[in-house]
Amino acid sequence: MGTPLRAGAAVLSAVLLAALGAAPRAVAASDAPAIVVQDGVTQPVFGYADAIRERLFIDSTFDSDNDGLRDIIAFDLMRPAATANGLKVPVIMDASPYYSTVCRGNESECKADLDGDGLLDRWPLFYDNYFVPRGYAVILLDMVGTNNSTGCPTTNANQDNLSAKQAINWLNGRATARNAAGQVVTADWHNGKSGMIGKSYDGSLAMATAVTGVKGLTTVVPISGPTEYYDYVRSNGVVTRGNSYVASLANTVTNPERRDYCKPVRDAMAAADGDEHGDYTAFWNERSYVKKVPNMTASVLLYHGLNDDNVRPDHFSKFWYALAENNIPRKLWLSQEGHVDPFDSRRAVWVSTLHRWFDFWLHGVANGIMDEPRVDLERAADVWETHADWPIPGKADTEVFLQPGTTGAGGLKLVPTAKPATGAFQDSRTQSQNTMILNPDTVQPNRLAFLSAPLTAPLHISGTPTVQLRASADQTDTNFGAILVDYGTDERVAHRASGEGIITLTTEDCWGLNSPTDDGCYKQTAKRVATADYELVTKGIMDAQNRQSIRTAVPLVVGESYNFTFPLLPEDYVFKPGHRIGVIIVASYPQYSSQADTTAANITVALKSSKIVLPVVGGTTAAHAAGL
C-alpha cells in the first residue's frame, strides 16, 4: 500500500479510506500519526475540514511607520489535526502584501473570515487544500502594513523583506507569537524545515527571506518575482516606470483605511527614488537580492515567463546566474507566457513537480527529483523540453556585425563590413514600437534596421544578448534602444494579448480536499495562440550618459564617438529556416520606458565597430550553418 515513515495502523487505514474516496478518520493518541509515502510522494491521509486553524501575531524587529512601536506581523496558519497528537510537519509559506487588496491567483482570491471569529474560512490558492492533507502546515503571512499586520509597506525595502523572517524565527523558537487573546503560542509541532512560495511580489519576498540566510528556511519557489527592484522600474539609467511608481505600489497594497496614515512613508520613498535621473543610488541596495545570494542556504525552484513584460526576464536570469556561481541547489522552469502562474500554464505537471520538490526538501522523501534535468523549457504552445542547464550547454557568444544597406535595411554578418560605413537617424520620443519594427526594408528617419538573409538552418539562442554600438550624437544626452526580431510567419503563444498567453475557461478541476467554506477547485485554462508575420524576440535600452556606470551619469561631448554596450532581455528562442533575423536600433523607446529623451538628438552609428552578440547554441559553427 505505501511506505510509512513511522508505522501506524490508523495511518494505513486512512490510506485505504482515501483510496476509496472516504474522508480520513481522526487519529487517536495511541496511533502515532505519521505521513505516508506511496509511489514516491506523500499521500492525503490527514483531514482538511478538521485541520487546526490559527491567526497569530509576532512583534517584529522594525518600525516601518515610525510611530515608536515595533510593527506586528500577522499570519494565518493551518496544520493537520494530528499535529496536536505528536505529528511533526514542515511549513509551506506564502508571504504576500495582496491578501486584502489585489488578492491572489487567476481568480483573485482574497482571505475571508466569513463568521467573524478571527480565523480564516476561505484561504486563497490551492496550497492549503492540497498540502495540509499530505502532512504540511501552510502559512499565509500578511506583509508589513497590509491586511492584519501593522506598519506601512515600503516596496521591497528591509521592512517588507524581513516580514516573513519573523515567522521563520518563530517556527524555530527564536521569536514569540501570540494569538488574539495575547496568549503565547509555540510551534512544537514543527519539524524544523520551511519552504516559501509565491508569485510576483510574493516571489520577491521569498527570495528576500532566503538571501538573509535565516536558519530553518530550507527551500523557496519564486514565481515571476522581482530580484533587483532597480531593474523593475529602471533599465541602464532609463526610468521605465516613473511618477513615483515605488510609492504608488505601496499605496495599492495598503488597506484603504490606512492609506492616509501611511502617506508620510510613501512621500519619503517618492522623494528618494531618483525618478528625476534614473541612476542607481543607495535607495536600491536593500531592494537588491542578487548580490546577497552568497548568504543563501535554501534550494530554489525558479519559474518565469520568457515573455513577461511586467517582471521582465532579466530578474530571473541575474538571480539564476548568481545561484549557479554559488552552487545553490536549483531547478528552473521557463514558459512562453507573460506574467502567468505555472498553475495556470501547465497545471498538472506543475502540481506534481511542486509536490515532489516539497516532499524532497521538507519531508526528506528520496524521490530523485534532483537527479532529473535541471531545466524545463516551453519551446512552443504546450511543447516542453528538458535541458541539463540554462543557458543551454554549448551556447557561445557569437558576434554578428551590422552592415550598411544600399536602399533599405542593412545586413547582418559574422564579419564586420570591409570599409568604414555609418548609419544615421534622429531620436523620436513618440515613435511607436510597431513603427520601429514593421516594414524593415523601408528607410525610416527615426531608426536603423538590419536584416539577415533568410536562414538556411535553425538558429537557437539561449542566454542574454548584448548590443555594442560605436556612436556619436549632436546633443549631450540621448537614449539608445535595440530590438531583436524574428521576421517569419508562425503560430506563437499570444503573450501580448489579453491573458498574456492563456484563456480562462468555464470548466474547473480540483486539487486537494475541501471544507464547507473552501474548496481546491479552479477554472481551467488553455493556451492562447496567434499566427503573425513577426515576433519581437527581445529588447533593451540604456541612457547614453550611463555608458560607464548606472550609478553615475556623464554627459556626452557633442560629436565625439563612444562605445555603448548594453544587454537585451534574456531569451531562449529558435529562429526557423526561411525566417530572417532583424536588429532594430532606435533612441527613445516609449513603449519600454516612461522616460523618453527630450533632446531629439541626431545619432551616427559607426557600423564597422557595431554589433549584436548573440548567445548561439553551437556558436559560430551553428551561425555559419544557418547562413549568417
Side-chain angles (χ1 to χ4, degrees):
M1 287 300 304
T3 306
L5 296 191
R6 280 191 295 151
V11 177
L12 293 176
S13 297
V15 173
L16 290 169
L17 289 169
L20 294 171
R25 68 175 178 83
V27 180
S30 61
D31 287 334
I35 66 164
V36 171
V37 175
Q38 183 179 2
D39 298 326
V41 291
T42 51
Q43 297 298 306
V45 299
F46 305 104
Y48 178 77
D50 67 343
I52 297 169
R53 292 158 171 81
E54 300 170 275
R55 177 170 295 160
L56 301 178
F57 305 86
I58 302 175
D59 287 335
S60 75
T61 58
F62 46 80
D63 176 14
S64 62
D65 53 2
N66 302 307
D67 66 350
L69 301 173
R70 290 182 177 180
D71 300 331
I72 296 173
I73 304 301
F75 59 93
D76 294 285
L77 166 67
M78 185 189 299
R79 54 190 171 93
T83 56
N85 194 32
L87 179 69
K88 301 289 187 181
V89 299
V91 164
I92 297 170
M93 182 194 311
D94 187 345
S96 178
Y98 290 133
Y99 285 127
S100 62
T101 51
V102 177
C103 304
R104 306 313 297 130
N106 192 38
E107 298 175 39
S108 299
E109 291 186 311
C110 297
K111 285 184 175 182
D113 172 11
L114 302 178
D115 55 12
D117 65 354
L119 300 177
L120 282 191
D121 298 297
R122 289 182 182 165
W123 293 61
L125 307 176
F126 75 100
Y127 306 136
D128 53 308
N129 307 88
Y130 189 85
F131 285 106
V132 170
R134 288 169 167 81
Y136 291 83
V138 170
I139 286 178
L140 303 185
L141 181 138
D142 299 328
M143 190 192 77
V144 66
T146 67
N147 202 24
N148 291 304
S149 292
T150 66
C152 294
T154 58
T155 312
N156 289 95
N158 285 336
Q159 296 87 343
D160 287 15
N161 295 340
L162 295 176
S163 294
K165 184 178 178 181
Q166 315 305 308
I168 300 292
N169 281 337
W170 169 71
L171 288 166
N172 291 278
R174 300 188 298 267
T176 300
R178 293 177 172 84
N179 59 24
Q183 298 166 321
V184 173
V185 178
T186 60
D188 55 2
W189 45 265
H190 185 229
N191 77 348
K193 296 181 179 181
S194 297
M196 291 184 66
I197 189 171
K199 179 190 172 189
S200 199
Y201 207 138
D202 303 19
S204 72
L205 294 177
M207 290 181 282
T209 310
V211 299
T212 68
V214 60
K215 294 181 180 179
L217 182 58
T218 308
T219 191
V220 291
V221 184
I223 299 168
S224 305
T227 63
E228 291 280 334
Y229 219 81
Y230 176 86
D231 292 335
Y232 187 68
V233 295
R234 312 277 187 263
S235 185
N236 302 304
V238 181
V239 176
T240 57
R241 292 179 172 97
N243 301 317
S244 298
Y245 184 91
V246 170
S248 176
L249 181 55
N251 186 63
T252 297
V253 303
T254 304
N255 294 358
E257 66 274 11
R258 289 180 56 83
R259 287 174 180 164
D260 287 344
Y261 173 79
C262 288
K263 186 175 185 300
V265 176
R266 297 195 304 274
D267 289 346
M269 287 191 290
D273 65 6
D275 265 3
E276 66 275 14
H277 52 69
D279 300 337
Y280 190 101
T281 65
F283 180 84
W284 304 106
N285 285 338
E286 60 189 307
R287 297 169 170 86
S288 167
Y289 311 143
V290 172
K291 67 185 68 173
K292 301 168 188 171
V293 165
N295 298 330
M296 286 182 59
T297 59
S299 63
V300 181
L301 172 57
L302 189 62
Y303 175 93
H304 215 100
L306 283 167
N307 294 300
D308 192 335
D309 213 26
N310 179 352
V311 181
R312 296 185 175 108
D314 53 341
H315 289 276
F316 97 78
S317 64
K318 292 179 180 180
F319 195 67
W320 181 255
Y321 297 150
L323 294 175
E325 289 172 4
N326 290 276
N327 201 29
I328 302 295
R330 63 202 180 277
K331 287 180 75 71
L332 174 67
W333 274 35
L334 295 174
S335 81
Q336 288 295 322
E337 286 76 45
H339 200 58
V340 173
D341 193 293
F343 185 74
D344 298 309
S345 171
R346 195 188 185 197
R347 183 168 296 178
V349 182
W350 174 250
V351 173
S352 174
T353 300
L354 194 62
H355 185 181
R356 295 173 64 236
W357 181 266
F358 283 143
D359 275 358
F360 177 80
W361 286 104
L362 301 181
H363 270 305
V365 177
N367 54 29
I369 193 166
M370 297 306 293
D371 300 323
E372 297 171 358
R374 182 170 281 160
V375 176
D376 278 39
L377 188 148
E378 187 179 23
R379 178 62 59 208
D382 294 322
V383 178
W384 287 81
E385 306 169 348
T386 58
H387 294 277
D389 210 340
W390 193 90
I392 306 302
K395 80 90 180 173
D397 289 339
T398 304
E399 297 178 333
V400 181
F401 291 87
L402 310 185
Q403 307 286 324
T406 52
T407 59
L412 295 171
K413 292 186 178 298
L414 295 175
V415 294
T417 179
K419 298 180 179 180
T422 59
F425 66 100
Q426 185 178 24
D427 179 23
S428 168
R429 63 181 305 191
T430 60
Q431 181 177 212
S432 73
Q433 182 171 272
N434 278 345
T435 300
M436 298 172 187
I437 293 174
L438 296 179
N439 304 309
D441 276 316
T442 302
V443 174
Q444 294 185 16
N446 306 122
R447 71 161 193 206
L448 295 176
F450 303 90
L451 285 172
S452 73
L455 298 179
T456 56
L459 188 78
H460 181 183
I461 64 169
S462 180
T464 303
T466 59
V467 167
Q468 299 177 13
L469 301 177
R470 179 75 175 172
S472 63
D474 66 354
Q475 302 290 329
T476 60
D477 190 18
T478 191
N479 292 342
F480 283 105
I483 310 171
L484 181 65
V485 187
D486 177 3
Y487 291 101
T489 303
D490 205 354
E491 181 184 84
R492 304 175 176 95
V493 175
H495 53 83
R496 291 186 177 85
S498 174
E500 300 190 57
I502 64 167
I503 300 168
T504 301
L505 307 175
T506 57
T507 54
E508 287 188 336
D509 53 17
C510 302
W511 299 87
L513 301 182
N514 304 329
S515 75
T517 58
D518 191 310
D519 64 36
C521 302
Y522 293 87
K523 292 180 180 177
Q524 295 174 307
T525 64
K527 289 293 167 65
R528 186 187 296 274
V529 297
T531 299
D533 294 333
Y534 70 92
E535 171 77 352
L536 191 163
V537 177
T538 183
K539 57 191 178 181
I541 53 176
M542 79 171 301
D543 184 336
Q545 291 195 350
N546 290 99
R547 62 194 178 277
Q548 298 175 354
S549 168
I550 59 174
R551 297 177 181 273
T552 305
V554 179
L556 305 174
V557 174
V558 171
E560 185 169 328
S561 292
Y562 299 91
N563 294 323
F564 301 96
T565 299
F566 56 99
L568 307 188
L569 296 173
E571 248 297 353
D572 200 291
Y573 192 88
V574 176
F575 295 86
K576 294 183 177 181
H579 291 206
R580 304 177 77 184
I581 299 173
V583 175
I584 308 296
I585 304 298
V586 296
S588 294
Y589 192 165
Q591 284 178 263
Y592 193 177
S593 163
S594 64
Q595 187 186 49
D597 198 82
T598 60
T599 63
N602 290 287
I603 297 167
T604 302
V605 178
L607 300 181
K608 189 176 179 66
S609 303
S610 298
K611 58 197 172 188
I612 185 169
V613 181
L614 296 177
V616 177
V617 177
T620 303
T621 300
H624 271 301
L628 278 178

